[in-house]
């Protein structure tokens, strides 16, 4: 049975005020709730696996700040590390020992990179990785995949056109056509398209970039065979393979998708999870490649807030927990039980919905198709069902991302009670989606 809509009066009031200051009333587009029902929720606080909005509504949170809060909200160790650093200063624009400590923690526990450079966001990390690849190879073109998101830098904010191999078309006003012309966009899981691209643009492709596991446009799980093919074809053609692990890095495991697929990328990018959820990113590679970065080499990249001490302190506290024995084993087992219980309910009811999952990431797809590996295999009409589920879950105190293309995340802070409550409400929401 449908539940009454929760009160969003204060959130609605704040949203109307925000429209006076920000485009669309938000500082990042998906927050506007245009893909789901109702007014955006203005969040007041978070603790463990829970959020509270401006109207006092409480939610079990499966968005986790879009993934990086693998320890949940307001983790004690992270909060205390941040508070300790705050008393010493917020920003210096100069080196600190904290940068060394976080870099050592990452590199000593990750065999896929030898040197690292901290930046302030995942977008900046990817932008810098592309520049490094171009600087090292002395080539300009890059290959990306339809359905993969790599931030909003000009070279990557493109979409696929028609045909097996195509130059990207700008998907945002303000992106010069000349930039898009250097980006070749092909479908995922299509070895023929990759071969055709390298044949057509022989000796011109600086890098192929792919999300560790595409998780910004559904959860598009790729096979190990395909990822190894991607590694081999890039090696053969002298092209850098960039693994964008802004979502999968330290989420699938401490070594991320590189270890999951057992491949050695040329460059790896990471996001806010390495800063305990604070604004930070990084890119890493071999010593040889990273020697190309200024001030050692000719590829320029800089940032006043790079290695920000507050973010470094938060990251050290967070990654020390992630590096503990059995952290990922326990988190992934908890997620597997949650996912399997929901799948069993779906099967019992015969509902036309799939629940895809890897490690502590999951995604609902309202389809009969049991294997989705390409963005083109997602039916846009299926998002109508997600809108209903999202509204019903919000009304029951469960918070998912405000788009059916977004994945969900489970954190260490989700208790058995949290997950049991959420499952009960997911069952109720699915009943309404399919039975009205």
């Amino acid at each position: 049975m449908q539940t009454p809509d929760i009160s969003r009066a204060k959130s609605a009031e704040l949203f109307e005020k925000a429209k006076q200051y920000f485009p669309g009333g938000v500082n990042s587009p998906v927050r506007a709730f245009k893909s789901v029902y109702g007014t955006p929720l203005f969040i007041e606080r978070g603790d463990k696996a829970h959020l509270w909005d401006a109207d006092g509504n409480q939610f079990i949170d499966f968005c986790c700040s879009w993934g990086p809060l693998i320890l949940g909200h307001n983790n004690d160790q992270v909060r205390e590390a941040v508070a300790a650093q705050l008393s010493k200063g917020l920003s210096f624009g100069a080196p600190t020992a904290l940068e060394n400590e976080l870099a050592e923690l990452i590199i000593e526990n990750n065999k896929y990179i030898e040197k690292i450079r901290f930046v302030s966001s995942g977008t900046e990390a990817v932008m810098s990785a592309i520049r490094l690849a171009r600087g090292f190879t002395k080539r300009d073109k890059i290959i990306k995949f339809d359905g993969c998101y790599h931030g909003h830098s000009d070279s990557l904010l493109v979409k696929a056109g028609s045909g097996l191999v195509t130059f990207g078309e700008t998907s945002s006003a303000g992106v010069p056509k000349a930039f898009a012309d250097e980006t070749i966009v092909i479908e995922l899981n299509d070895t023929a398209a990759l071969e055709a691209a390298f044949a057509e643009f022989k000796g011109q492709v600086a890098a192929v970039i792919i999300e560790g596991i595409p998780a910004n446009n559904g959860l598009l799980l790729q096979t190990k065979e395909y990822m190894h093919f991607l590694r081999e074809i890039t090696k053969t053609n002298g092209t850098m393979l960039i693994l964008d692990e802004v979502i999968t890095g330290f989420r699938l495991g401490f070594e991320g998708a590189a270890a999951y697929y057992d491949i050695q990328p040329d460059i790896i990018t990471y996001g806010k999870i390495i800063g305990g959820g604070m604004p930070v990113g990084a890119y890493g590679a071999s010593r040889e490649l990273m020697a190309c970065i200024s001030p050692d080499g000719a590829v320029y990249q800089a940032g006043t807030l790079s290695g920000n001490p507050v973010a470094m302190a938060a990251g050290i506290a967070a990654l020390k927990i992630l590096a503990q024995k059995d952290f990922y084993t326990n988190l992934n087992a908890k997620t597997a039980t949650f996912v399997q219980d929901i799948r069993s309910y779906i099967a019992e009811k015969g509902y036309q919905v799939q629940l895809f999952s890897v490690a502590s990431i999951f995604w609902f797809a309202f389809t009969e198709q049991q294997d989705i590996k390409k963005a083109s295999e997602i039916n846009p009409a299926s998002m109508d069902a997600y809108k209903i589920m999202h509204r019903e879950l919000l009304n029951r105190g469960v918070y998912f991302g405000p788009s059916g293309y977004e994945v969900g995340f489970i954190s260490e802070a989700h208790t058995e009670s949290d997950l049991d409550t959420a499952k009960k409400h997911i069952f109720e929401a699915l009943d309404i989606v399919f039975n009205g």
Side-chain angles (χ1 to χ4, degrees):
M1 188 171 101
Q2 285 183 298
T3 57
D5 287 343
I6 56 171
S7 171
R8 303 192 198 184
K10 289 185 179 179
S11 281
E13 181 182 341
L14 289 167
F15 187 46
E16 288 305 309
K17 190 171 184 178
K19 289 177 183 177
Q20 301 174 39
Y21 310 128
F22 315 119
V26 292
N27 285 299
S28 190
V30 75
R31 298 179 190 176
F33 268 46
K34 285 187 175 292
S35 297
V36 292
Y37 293 109
T39 297
L41 302 183
F42 277 63
I43 303 302
E44 193 166 275
R45 67 186 179 96
D47 190 65
K48 305 291 190 295
H50 296 262
L51 290 173
W52 287 262
D53 68 8
D55 290 277
N57 300 306
Q58 181 178 350
F59 305 93
I60 302 170
D61 177 28
F62 289 100
C63 189
C64 298
S65 193
W66 305 101
L69 297 185
I70 194 169
L71 300 175
H73 298 274
N74 198 26
N75 175 269
D76 291 346
Q77 291 97 315
V78 174
R79 185 185 64 251
E80 289 165 8
V82 168
Q85 180 54 44
L86 289 177
S87 67
K88 301 176 184 178
L90 301 178
S91 178
F92 310 120
T96 69
L98 294 168
E99 296 166 69
N100 290 356
E101 188 175 349
L102 182 56
E104 182 177 20
L105 183 55
I106 292 171
I107 292 170
E108 289 295 312
N109 292 283
N110 186 336
K111 64 178 177 288
Y112 297 95
I113 53 174
E114 295 177 337
K115 279 196 173 183
I116 198 168
R117 171 65 66 87
F118 292 120
V119 292
S120 296
S121 71
T123 290
E124 190 181 347
V126 171
M127 178 183 72
S128 303
I130 292 290
R131 185 179 300 160
L132 172 57
R134 284 173 164 157
F136 183 80
T137 62
K138 305 296 191 292
R139 301 172 179 178
D140 293 333
K141 296 194 186 303
I142 61 171
I143 293 174
K144 74 175 290 286
F145 298 92
D146 186 22
C148 286
Y149 177 73
H150 304 286
H152 60 89
S153 60
D154 286 352
S155 295
L156 294 165
L157 202 59
V158 297
K159 61 185 177 182
S162 59
L164 181 66
V165 178
T166 177
F167 289 115
E169 300 169 355
T170 59
S171 56
S172 169
V175 176
K177 184 178 183 299
F179 283 37
D181 283 349
E182 299 297 345
T183 303
I184 303 156
V185 185
I186 62 177
E187 280 206 311
L188 287 159
N189 194 40
D190 190 337
T191 56
L194 273 170
E195 290 169 338
F198 277 109
E200 185 172 346
F201 304 105
K202 189 172 180 62
Q204 300 178 57
V205 180
V208 172
I209 183 167
I210 186 171
E211 289 184 68
I213 292 176
N216 274 287
N217 194 67
L219 186 61
L220 307 177
L221 294 161
Q222 305 300 299
T223 65
K224 189 172 183 177
E225 291 74 20
Y226 176 73
M227 295 298 288
H228 280 251
F229 170 81
L230 186 56
R231 174 66 285 187
E232 289 307 310
I233 197 170
T234 49
K235 273 186 181 178
T236 300
N237 286 275
T239 294
M240 300 287 100
L241 175 61
I242 302 173
L243 202 61
D244 178 355
E245 297 232 47
V246 168
I247 288 182
T248 53
F250 302 91
R251 175 54 82 166
L252 298 188
F254 210 92
E255 295 178 310
Y260 180 83
Y261 283 116
D262 188 25
I263 58 171
Q264 174 63 65
D266 294 294
I267 311 172
I268 307 178
T269 64
Y270 299 114
K272 293 172 281 296
I273 198 168
I274 66 168
M278 295 287 287
V280 65
Y283 61 103
S286 66
R287 292 180 181 275
E288 178 191 12
L289 263 178
M290 295 302 281
C292 298
I293 299 295
S294 58
D296 287 350
V299 177
Y300 190 76
Q301 181 269 310
T304 302
L305 291 179
S306 295
N308 173 267
V310 179
M312 298 293 100
I316 292 164
L319 294 197
K320 280 183 176 178
I321 298 172
L322 270 55
Q324 291 174 1
K325 183 183 178 185
D326 294 333
F327 175 86
Y328 290 102
T329 301
N330 295 334
L331 178 61
N332 295 349
K334 177 164 59 176
T335 305
T337 299
F338 176 77
V339 167
Q340 187 52 50
D341 288 349
I342 298 172
R343 284 176 177 161
S344 295
Y345 186 81
I346 290 169
E348 177 189 334
K349 296 289 186 175
Y351 290 154
Q352 189 176 311
V353 58
Q354 305 296 328
L355 182 53
F356 296 100
S357 178
V358 61
S360 54
I361 307 172
F362 63 89
W363 176 56
F364 284 91
F366 288 87
T367 178
E368 289 182 338
Q369 188 170 337
Q370 296 185 2
D371 188 21
I372 298 179
K373 289 185 165 55
K374 303 177 182 181
S376 61
E377 294 172 345
I378 302 173
N379 180 6
S382 68
M383 296 302 145
D384 291 340
Y386 181 82
K387 286 175 66 174
I388 298 170
M389 183 173 80
H390 185 270
R391 178 184 61 198
E392 293 302 321
L393 288 176
L394 277 188
N395 290 338
R396 289 165 169 79
V398 178
Y399 186 85
F400 278 11
S403 167
Y405 291 96
E406 300 292 348
V407 298
F409 301 92
I410 290 178
S411 73
E412 183 201 35
H414 283 92
T415 65
E416 186 176 342
S417 175
D418 291 329
L419 297 177
D420 285 344
T421 299
K423 281 185 288 190
K424 173 180 176 289
H425 294 321
I426 289 169
F427 298 161
E428 294 166 350
L430 289 173
D431 288 344
I432 289 171
V433 169
F434 289 102
N435 299 323

